[in-house]
Amino acid sequence: MASPMHPRERRCGDHAVDLIAARVQRLVALQADVLADCDPEPLHQMRVSCRQLRSTLEQFGPALELPDQLSPQRVAKFGQRLGLCRDLDVLRKRLDHQLLPFVPELEQELLQRFRRQLKRERKHAFADLKEVLHGRSYLKWLARCQAWLRLPSFSVIGLQPLGDWFPELAHSVVLNLMLLPGWQVLDPTTEASAEALHLLRRRIKRARYGFNNLLVCEPQLQPWCERFKAMQASLGDLNDLQLLDCALAEHFEDRAAEQLPQLRVLIAEQRQIAWSSWQALAAELARPDQRSALYQLLSGAPAVSAAACAGERIQG
């Protein structure tokens, strides 16, 4: 009886097809619950599945021969149409559960009109989302995805073992990640800083999804996935608070600080908590020994532990 094939020995293309099929099946399975709109979680999961699918197509693109309809850019367009509705869900949840219960009654009353505005905007965003999911373009795209999955085609790389291309596939999702300006941000409250951190969050998310795609090759990537997830969460909190700040400033015509002093204090406190969390996580990854350990792991070499690196510095 033949021994089972090790995941590293599977063809790159076969592994990529399994990942893509799982994402597409997830999108199909979530559609009814998203359209029912009884719970915001299915929409969140659909948006995540879109991002995972886009990341997988980008990462494994060199191993696949994809039609234009299955390009990462096409997936991104669908994901963007889901984005506004999800962003409004996040803002409403933060406002209703993390802020409103802790401000004075007078501020709660002032915020009721703002809450109604968010509700109206969400209604319009959901109408647009329904149009997308019922639309011919999206349904045709899903059908083409499923048709390609039934008869996928691979490049020369796609026909070769996954393990042989692990270093390239792993490095592709962290290429220049540590050189992005978001790591150097000192004040998260400025518009330029918020944009730099938003871009960095997207790249960290891409690295996390890419590492998850390769866990079958290298289980030691799991702790790095968890680190990236924690970083993503801290930066996500900063982004949500920035969006809420902008929405409040627009609604109250830049008088939010005057009319909602306690709310502003709470937002500032939550921003500081998220910022402190982010700074601690970023400082840890910025250490040369940590970056070296990561790059050695991605190259297939034995990773050097942080303790060992510290010991070498002491001896030096």
Side-chain angles (χ1 to χ4, degrees):
M1 183 177 178
S3 58
M5 181 184 293
H6 190 279
R8 281 181 169 269
E9 297 172 358
R10 290 192 72 206
R11 297 190 303 179
C12 282
D14 292 328
H15 182 64
V17 165
D18 286 349
L19 292 170
I20 294 168
R23 313 301 186 218
V24 172
Q25 289 168 9
R26 183 72 172 145
L27 289 174
V28 173
L30 286 165
Q31 182 159 334
D33 286 339
V34 169
L35 291 172
D37 200 26
C38 297
D39 181 347
E41 185 59 22
L43 173 58
H44 170 57
Q45 293 303 321
M46 179 173 271
R47 195 181 185 192
V48 168
S49 294
C50 272
R51 287 171 169 167
Q52 290 173 332
L53 177 57
R54 178 187 179 183
S55 294
T56 301
L57 292 172
E58 288 175 340
Q59 185 178 19
F60 286 89
L64 306 171
E65 293 180 353
L66 293 166
D68 290 342
Q69 292 84 1
L70 270 67
S71 69
Q73 294 76 18
R74 190 71 178 273
V75 179
K77 287 182 180 179
F78 287 127
Q80 288 167 2
R81 299 287 294 274
L82 303 176
L84 178 57
C85 200
R86 173 59 188 167
D87 287 344
L88 288 167
D89 283 342
V90 170
L91 289 188
R92 292 168 69 200
K93 180 179 178 181
R94 181 175 290 274
L95 184 64
D96 289 349
H97 299 286
Q98 299 180 27
L99 294 169
L100 267 179
F102 307 104
V103 299
E105 186 175 342
L106 178 59
E107 291 189 30
Q108 291 186 22
E109 291 174 2
L110 289 172
L111 284 164
Q112 291 309 311
R113 186 176 172 189
F114 177 66
R115 291 178 71 248
R116 289 194 293 271
Q117 176 186 317
L118 291 180
K119 187 175 181 179
R120 285 193 299 271
E121 291 178 4
R122 206 273 184 185
K123 183 178 180 180
H124 293 313
F126 185 72
D128 183 59
L129 183 153
K130 283 178 66 176
E131 183 179 330
V132 170
L133 297 184
H134 282 309
R136 183 176 174 218
S137 178
Y138 177 71
L139 297 176
K140 189 175 180 180
W141 172 78
L142 272 181
R144 287 180 173 173
C145 285
Q146 292 164 333
W148 183 86
L149 287 167
R150 286 193 294 270
L151 194 64
S153 52
F154 306 148
S155 70
V156 173
I157 292 174
L159 297 173
Q160 296 176 9
L162 178 62
D164 290 357
W165 290 95
F166 169 78
E168 288 79 10
L169 291 168
H171 276 287
S172 70
V173 297
V174 292
L175 183 64
N176 295 329
L177 174 63
M178 296 303 300
L179 298 178
L180 291 175
W183 298 100
Q184 313 304 324
V185 167
L186 300 177
D187 178 5
T189 62
T190 69
E191 185 176 345
S193 294
E195 182 60 32
L197 291 172
H198 177 61
L199 174 61
L200 180 56
R201 179 168 67 103
R202 289 170 55 189
R203 284 296 313 278
I204 288 173
K205 192 179 303 181
R206 179 187 173 198
R208 176 187 159 208
Y209 291 158
F211 282 8
N212 270 319
N213 287 341
L214 295 172
L215 285 175
V216 295
C217 275
E218 183 49 80
Q220 290 187 63
L221 287 174
Q222 182 63 50
W224 290 95
C225 291
E226 296 303 321
R227 287 175 79 167
F228 287 149
K229 183 177 181 180
M231 289 179 166
Q232 182 185 326
S234 296
L235 290 177
D237 283 340
L238 287 170
N239 183 69
D240 295 343
L241 291 166
Q242 180 73 11
L243 290 176
L244 181 58
D245 245 351
C246 292
L248 287 167
E250 181 178 352
H251 180 80
F252 287 93
E253 300 178 345
D254 294 321
R255 296 181 59 201
E258 174 188 339
Q259 295 182 292
L260 306 164
Q262 186 57 38
L263 179 68
R264 301 292 298 181
V265 168
L266 286 174
I267 290 175
E269 289 175 350
Q270 291 187 11
R271 179 183 284 118
Q272 185 55 49
I273 291 170
W275 181 241
S276 297
S277 173
W278 161 250
Q279 285 183 305
L281 293 165
E284 181 70 13
L285 186 55
R287 287 168 42 191
D289 58 289
Q290 291 292 304
R291 299 200 313 276
S292 176
L294 174 60
Y295 298 143
Q296 287 184 28
L297 178 61
L298 301 189
S299 298
V304 179
S305 69
C309 289
E312 289 176 8
R313 288 200 300 273
I314 293 172
Q315 291 176 6

